[in-house]
Amino acid sequence: MELDRLDRDIIAALVEDARATYAEIGHDVGLSASAVKRRVDRLRETGAITGFSARVAPRALGWNTEAYVELFCQGKTKPSDIALAMARYPEVVAAATITGEADALLHIRATDVRHVERVIERIAAETFVVRTKSSIVLSRLVDLPTGAVASDPRNGSPVGG
Amino acid sequence: MELDRLDRDIIAALVEDARATYAEIGHDVGLSASAVKRRVDRLRETGAITGFSARVAPRALGWNTEAYVELFCQGKTKPSDIALAMARYPEVVAAATITGEADALLHIRATDVRHVERVIERIAAETFVVRTKSSIVLSRLVDLPTGAVASDPRNGSPVGG
DNA sequence: ATTGAAACTTGCACTAC
DNA sequence: GTAGTGCAAGTTTCAAT
């Protein structure tokens, strides 16, 4: 699906504030509220916008510690095996298979270092896991919502930048 | 600040759908719309909720490739130096200092592998960077919005789990 | 918790390219 | 035909009770 300037501007507005009214967005991008709504509906139908979410301060909910864990798996492990197993851990907030020595990289949120340790212990006990290599996050320096940059004229668009 | 059961339920509802009406949320958590609004206002004031954001499919915007990059820095590099430098790259969507051999881990979104390469080249040229070690993401297996788990009774809360 | 005024959403008729 | 505007009915917000 093709996104024009207006679509990108609307997405940018909604990434910045998902509760903005259609009239507000319309004012920003130069469209009527009705026109904005029609485009937002279309963007959701086509899957460009997958939903709307509150941004939460992990600390406020007690998630005080995060870690990245490299996973080294047995030779015939399939990505779907890893996906299925990791989906069972609420502490695993992101996971991806990657190039390089490790097979996958996990992003873990936990209450404290002890909690991280317990989770890694359980993950390391998964049948397909050979070993793990973990790094505790000391301080978060950057954390942008996905798409924050997409059509912010201050930053480059993926095509233009 | 202390969050009770209701606060956590409200946050969970807003993480799932940030555009839900107060009446809908109230129905879910067993509160009147007004009561929900008062709590949401308070949650924003106290910083537990930092905003509302559209969830976007990176692909739809042309961000087809992601990578993780470990940064090895000169001995006297401060986290704030890294933060300042990385904030200038729209492609760096997350960055954190970590324990282990590397000093920091970056999460990069780009249009394609060539784009990733160009960005890493520029980052590697930063004065404080000694070397980098990168992994391209092959496939994303898990990607939860922050707080998705916080008060979903199917998962553990950070305290209870 | 209820109420009422102001604002928002959303379908529809209409217009322009 | 595709995409925008304006309007009106039904909801939602939000402050005051």
Side-chain angles (χ1 to χ4, degrees):
Chain A
M1 181 220 176
E2 198 61 17
L3 299 184
D4 65 12
R5 196 57 218 300
L6 255 12
D7 289 321
R8 289 174 180 277
D9 288 351
I10 289 170
I11 289 172
L14 283 171
V15 166
E16 205 180 302
D17 179 9
R19 284 182 80 88
T21 66
Y22 294 123
E24 277 165 1
I25 299 167
H27 179 262
D28 288 356
V29 308
L31 233 46
S32 72
S34 309
V36 172
K37 180 191 184 308
R38 222 172 326 129
R39 279 175 180 258
V40 172
D41 287 346
R42 189 164 52 82
L43 288 168
R44 300 194 62 172
E45 270 166 26
T46 58
I49 293 175
T50 60
F52 303 98
S53 204
R55 283 194 299 269
V56 169
R59 290 293 172 81
L61 292 167
W63 303 98
N64 297 303
T65 309
E66 41 182 334
Y68 287 94
V69 179
E70 289 176 276
L71 233 51
F72 299 80
C73 302
Q74 286 175 355
K76 46 189 71 173
T77 309
K78 289 174 294 184
S80 59
D81 296 336
I82 305 176
L84 230 55
M86 291 310 117
R88 300 202 327 269
Y89 296 88
E91 294 89 351
V92 176
V93 297
T97 52
I98 56 173
T99 64
E101 294 155 61
D103 296 298
L105 181 63
L106 314 178
H107 182 193
I108 288 177
R109 275 194 203 279
T111 53
D112 51 37
V113 177
R114 280 288 294 132
H115 187 183
V116 170
E117 190 180 30
R118 285 201 308 276
V119 173
I120 293 173
E121 206 174 294
R122 284 196 289 147
I123 289 172
E126 296 279 348
T127 55
F128 59 82
V129 174
V130 174
R131 72 184 177 93
T132 64
K133 183 181 167 191
S134 28
S135 304
I136 299 279
V137 167
L138 297 174
S139 67
R140 180 138 304 271
L141 309 174
V142 176
D143 193 11
L144 301 177
T146 303
V149 141
S151 44
D152 186 339
R154 288 168 301 183
N155 307 307
S157 84
V159 181
Chain B
M1 180 218 176
E2 198 61 19
L3 299 185
D4 66 12
R5 208 2 165 27
L6 256 12
D7 289 321
R8 289 173 180 276
D9 288 351
I10 289 169
I11 289 171
L14 283 170
V15 166
E16 205 179 302
D17 179 10
R19 283 184 80 89
T21 65
Y22 294 124
E24 277 164 2
I25 299 167
H27 178 263
D28 288 357
V29 308
L31 232 47
S32 72
S34 312
V36 172
K37 181 190 184 306
R38 230 173 318 121
R39 280 176 182 256
V40 172
D41 287 346
R42 189 166 51 81
L43 288 168
R44 300 195 63 173
E45 270 167 27
T46 59
I49 293 175
T50 59
F52 303 97
S53 205
R55 282 194 299 270
V56 169
R59 292 291 172 82
L61 292 167
W63 304 97
N64 299 301
T65 308
E66 40 182 336
Y68 288 93
V69 179
E70 288 176 277
L71 232 52
F72 299 80
C73 302
Q74 286 174 355
K76 45 190 70 172
T77 309
K78 288 173 294 181
S80 60
D81 296 337
I82 305 176
L84 230 54
M86 292 309 118
R88 300 202 327 269
Y89 296 88
E91 294 90 351
V92 175
V93 297
T97 52
I98 55 173
T99 63
E101 294 154 61
D103 297 297
L105 181 63
L106 314 179
H107 182 193
I108 287 178
R109 276 194 203 280
T111 53
D112 52 36
V113 177
R114 280 288 294 134
H115 187 183
V116 170
E117 191 179 30
R118 285 201 307 276
V119 173
I120 293 173
E121 206 175 293
R122 283 196 290 149
I123 290 171
E126 296 279 347
T127 54
F128 59 81
V129 174
V130 174
R131 73 184 176 93
T132 64
K133 183 181 168 190
S134 28
S135 304
I136 299 278
V137 168
L138 297 174
S139 67
R140 180 138 302 271
L141 309 175
V142 177
D143 194 10
L144 301 177
T146 303
V149 140
S151 44
D152 185 339
R154 288 168 302 183
N155 308 308
S157 85
V159 181

